[in-house]
Amino acid sequence: MAKFELKLPKMGESVAEATITNWLKSVGEKIEADEAVLEIATDKVDSEVPSEVSGTLTEILFQVNDVVKVGQTIAIIETEGGSAAPSPVANAVAAPVAEVAKTVDPETSGAQAAVTPADFKSSDKFFSPLVKNIATAEGISVAELENINGSGKEGRVTKEDILKFVESRKSKVESQVTTKPVAAQVTPSVQAAPVSVNGGDEIIEMDRMRKLISGYMVASVQTSAHVQSFIEVDVTNIVKWREKVKVAFEKREGEKLTFTPIMMEAVAKALKDFPGMNISVDGDYIIKRKNINLGMAAALPNGNLIVPVIKNADQLNLVGMAKAVNDLGNRAKTGKLKPDDTQGGTYTVTNVGTFGSVFGTPIINQPQVGILALGAIRKVPAVIETPEGDFIGIRQKMFLSHSYDHRVVDGALGGSFVKRVADYLEAFDPNRDY
């Protein structure tokens, strides 16, 4: 008999911890290699943790709703025979605390190196080991930690929450040093209007993902100055081309050809032309993204929303784009997305036309600065210009709705970008190969 330590595997570059949502196996149960043992949830994705060996589950070290760091042992599995060697997945586990320490500003760390570690036992709130380590390194008191509005499950403070607090505190200190004192301004707190409930109403608590989405949306509106630009596009050539090749495309490539990859291809090209849209904002700094990673908003069967990411989208041809779109879309519907599938997006596209909407005003996916909504394609009467004169014809048209962050993107850039996307779509060659 040998004991194997099942650890929380690495789930992506920016994922340092996860919450246990359900144990699929009980102590004493037999487990096969690659069989799911428990379900976990990160800030965006729910997923399963499989066993790397066959054996019997002898010990569970964490309970449901516990927050576990990447690399921590979460269960003990007793195997037959000799020692159980961990798979490459276990060997790939990172040390998140060390990585977080690298992100801490050296000046801030040095100034607070002598701070006495906080006594977290004095707090009734739960803080993950990762959050405690950052708080200790940054000299954040328990009182300060308790006042941070957590975006995690049940209001728990996440790594992102505490790092934002560190950055905010540093900015306030710099502001006090570089600016003159001004008269205090009282900002009235905004409270939700009270909701009356009668005997016939049903009260349903939001699920975990809906709470997260709610928090993300409110935070985005409060962070970015949203501005919209709209443009109508003639996609008649695209509609005719797709109708002509879709059967042969699926037969040859084994993939369905929808309009989405064609649109994503045009967006990726436009982002190369206008790199000012492929940026993020961090306080007073602009981060120019090297890679073009397109987020693709997808509706889940339960009505919630998730945004898987197509990495290096500008390097894909139409076939590669179709495969990526279909793969992410199918795995989103079946709950098979991995945490890393939703990380690293630099710009987002959402297809509101799927539900019949002509156009929309989407909310920016932070910390990005733009999001494009694809409206429904409709047959409409249109003026067609020819050398012989103008006449009325039936064309296939759609609206592109571009929301962008007016803090860093002005109307010239925001409007020019969406116009370039439209130009690429209208210039689509109906005789092209795929």
Side-chain angles (χ1 to χ4, degrees):
M1 292 290 190
K3 291 186 176 181
F4 175 81
E5 295 184 354
L6 179 64
K7 301 177 184 292
L8 184 66
K10 185 176 180 180
M11 299 167 288
E13 293 299 325
S14 60
V15 181
E17 61 185 17
T19 302
I20 296 175
T21 56
N22 184 33
W23 281 97
L24 303 175
K25 297 291 182 179
S26 303
V27 172
E29 281 195 64
K30 294 284 187 180
I31 299 172
E32 298 297 328
D34 295 326
E35 186 177 6
V37 179
L38 69 156
E39 295 175 340
I40 59 172
T42 65
D43 281 353
K44 292 186 178 180
V45 176
D46 294 350
S47 56
E48 297 176 341
V49 177
S51 172
E52 300 157 46
V53 296
S54 297
T56 303
L57 182 62
T58 59
E59 191 174 355
I60 290 176
L61 303 180
F62 291 91
Q63 302 304 314
V64 172
N65 294 329
D66 284 349
V67 177
V68 185
K69 294 189 300 180
V70 167
Q72 263 188 304
T73 301
I74 50 181
I76 303 297
I77 299 173
E78 197 169 80
T79 63
E80 298 288 341
S83 60
S87 72
V89 174
N91 292 330
V93 168
V97 176
E99 291 299 317
V100 171
K102 294 177 183 178
T103 68
V104 175
D105 185 87
E107 295 181 6
T108 306
S109 305
Q112 298 172 347
V115 176
T116 303
D119 180 14
F120 298 103
K121 294 181 180 179
S122 63
S123 175
D124 294 330
K125 287 191 173 183
F126 175 85
F127 301 108
S128 70
L130 179 61
V131 169
K132 290 179 182 178
N133 284 332
I134 299 173
T136 301
E138 288 298 309
I140 298 174
S141 67
V142 174
E144 289 177 307
L145 201 56
E146 288 181 328
N147 287 326
I148 296 176
N149 291 323
S151 61
K153 183 179 179 65
E154 298 179 353
R156 288 176 179 171
V157 176
T158 66
K159 180 188 79 171
E160 288 73 20
D161 296 330
I162 192 169
L163 290 180
K164 285 180 181 178
F165 176 80
V166 170
E167 183 63 29
S168 174
R169 188 171 64 170
K170 178 188 172 187
S171 299
K172 288 179 180 178
V173 172
E174 292 175 348
S175 176
Q176 291 172 357
V177 172
T178 58
T179 61
K180 295 180 180 180
V182 295
Q185 296 180 348
V186 178
T187 304
S189 59
V190 179
Q191 296 182 348
V195 179
S196 60
V197 180
N198 60 42
D201 296 332
E202 182 181 4
I203 301 174
I204 303 173
E205 184 180 5
M206 295 182 188
D207 60 26
R208 186 191 66 84
M209 183 170 282
R210 178 48 55 184
K211 290 178 182 178
L212 288 172
I213 294 172
S214 175
Y216 292 145
M217 295 299 97
V218 172
S220 181
V221 172
Q222 292 176 339
T223 299
S224 296
H226 282 62
V227 177
Q228 283 82 28
S229 292
F230 307 93
I231 191 166
E232 192 174 25
V233 192
D234 189 328
V235 292
T236 305
N237 286 341
I238 293 176
V239 173
K240 290 181 177 179
W241 178 82
R242 175 181 172 273
E243 189 62 31
K244 181 176 66 175
V245 306
K246 66 180 183 180
V247 174
F249 184 95
E250 184 173 1
K251 185 176 180 180
R252 188 178 102 176
E253 304 298 337
E255 298 283 348
K256 289 186 179 294
L257 178 62
T258 65
F259 290 109
T260 302
I262 302 174
M263 307 295 174
M264 299 293 257
E265 182 184 53
V267 172
K269 289 180 179 179
L271 285 172
K272 290 193 74 171
D273 297 340
F274 294 95
M277 287 304 311
N278 198 53
I279 66 173
S280 295
V281 179
D282 184 10
D284 294 332
Y285 295 91
I286 294 173
I287 302 171
K288 293 183 177 179
R289 298 299 185 182
K290 178 181 178 182
N291 299 328
I292 294 176
N293 299 334
L294 288 183
M296 181 185 75
L300 298 176
N302 62 5
N304 287 325
L305 187 72
I306 199 165
V307 186
V309 177
I310 301 172
K311 307 293 174 61
N312 299 308
D314 57 312
Q315 299 177 20
L316 299 176
N317 60 15
L318 186 58
V319 174
M321 189 72 79
K323 289 180 181 293
V325 167
N326 291 344
D327 173 57
L328 291 173
N330 290 334
R331 287 198 286 124
K333 291 176 183 177
T334 56
K336 299 298 183 182
L337 286 175
K338 300 176 181 178
D340 204 35
D341 290 328
T342 63
Q343 305 294 324
T346 61
Y347 188 88
T348 298
V349 178
T350 179
N351 190 354
V352 299
T354 301
F355 312 105
S357 296
V358 178
F359 53 80
T361 56
I363 296 175
I364 296 168
N365 188 14
Q366 297 295 327
Q368 300 166 24
V369 299
I371 181 171
L372 186 70
L374 309 174
I377 298 175
R378 304 168 301 138
K379 288 183 179 181
V380 296
V383 176
I384 301 174
E385 298 178 354
T386 70
E388 291 74 29
D390 299 343
F391 65 93
I392 301 295
I394 303 299
R395 306 294 289 178
Q396 300 272 7
K397 290 196 173 188
M398 65 181 293
F399 280 99
L400 302 179
S401 310
H402 187 209
S403 292
Y404 48 95
D405 189 342
H406 211 351
R407 294 180 302 166
V408 290
V409 180
D410 292 328
L413 174 57
S416 298
F417 169 78
V418 70
K419 178 63 166 60
R420 184 62 55 85
V421 176
D423 290 343
Y424 279 127
L425 294 176
E426 292 190 339
F428 189 90
D429 184 1
N431 299 312
R432 67 175 283 183
D433 191 12
Y434 49 82

